[in-house]
Amino acid sequence: MSDRRTGILTAATRVIARRGVRGLRMGELATEAGVSIALIYYHFTDRAGVLRQTLEHISDRADHYTTEDRPAPGRSGDPRAELEQVLLLELQDTAEVRENSIAWGELRATAVFDPDLREELARSTHSWVHDVADLLARADPTGTAPAHAAAAERLTALVEGLSVRWHSGSLPVEQARRLLRDAVRAELEHPPG
């Protein structure tokens, strides 16, 4: 992906995190990215293209910050700690994670009304759930694939819900992180029967 294109998508993430999807205006995006409106349309065709590609960009950024300090699969001495770490990295109080999280929530809410965005969101969510299910399988090798998939759905949905509560001011981030740790422990020690 070109540097300009990446810069536009990073700017779109910031604008969405600041103003919401409804507040995303191409003029403001162009100013934020330091490019012309024409260049945005050249790269993305229309507003819907900007939204779809921003969702992909957010997913790529999340992949980066949840894997950059993580050992290669199978190299960690403690798969349970690795699972917990990957999920907790989604609740970091940093500008990048806050932007990503807020923009993800905004795009998820918009997808309710936008079938094209819904498909892209479903693909991204499926990939995330699959990655978490793989981590669960390493942490709980005696469990079944369907049980790991169900637990991954619960844990990723919990991360999204905790994130919304954190960003809306109804839950401090440290409490959200404690609740997530408790949920990981419950999934691994007392899986639903």
Side-chain angles (χ1 to χ4, degrees):
M1 187 179 294
S2 76
D3 288 343
R4 282 232 168 134
R5 192 174 163 91
T6 300
I8 294 167
L9 294 171
T10 300
T13 303
R14 281 193 307 268
V15 172
I16 291 169
R18 191 171 55 238
R19 296 190 164 285
V21 170
R22 288 183 180 163
L24 178 66
R25 303 286 181 262
M26 292 303 110
E28 183 179 358
L29 175 55
T31 301
E32 183 85 20
V35 301
S36 69
I37 293 173
L39 187 63
I40 293 171
Y41 285 113
Y42 170 78
H43 281 293
F44 303 101
T45 308
D46 57 15
R47 187 172 187 278
V50 170
L51 294 178
R52 283 192 303 278
Q53 292 299 308
T54 300
L55 181 62
E56 186 176 316
H57 178 70
I58 289 167
S59 293
D60 290 346
R61 279 176 37 160
D63 285 346
H64 177 74
Y65 64 69
T66 58
T67 59
E68 65 186 11
D69 295 329
R70 199 167 114 206
R75 308 242 178 177
S76 170
D78 186 356
R80 178 186 177 150
E82 185 179 349
L83 167 67
E84 188 175 284
Q85 176 192 6
V86 165
L87 293 171
L88 288 171
L89 287 172
E90 294 287 351
L91 297 172
Q92 297 177 76
D93 198 6
T94 66
E96 182 181 35
V97 173
R98 279 191 310 272
E99 283 175 5
N100 250 30
S101 181
I102 292 167
W104 177 269
E106 273 291 306
L107 289 162
R108 178 171 293 290
T110 300
V112 170
F113 306 103
D114 182 340
D116 292 335
L117 189 57
R118 194 177 311 145
E119 289 175 24
E120 183 63 38
L121 185 72
R123 278 192 291 277
S124 293
T125 300
H126 175 76
S127 177
W128 184 28
V129 169
H130 178 75
D131 291 347
V132 171
D134 285 348
L135 289 168
L136 280 158
R138 289 188 27 240
D140 177 24
T142 61
T144 65
H148 294 141
E153 288 283 0
R154 287 187 295 273
L155 289 171
T156 56
L158 178 63
V159 169
E160 288 179 348
L162 291 171
S163 182
V164 168
R165 288 186 181 190
W166 164 38
H167 295 301
S168 65
S170 61
L171 186 67
V173 69
E174 285 310 315
Q175 185 178 354
R177 292 174 63 86
R178 269 192 307 278
L179 291 168
L180 184 55
R181 280 188 197 97
D182 291 347
V184 169
R185 184 173 36 259
E187 288 290 349
L188 292 173
E189 294 175 5
H190 309 289

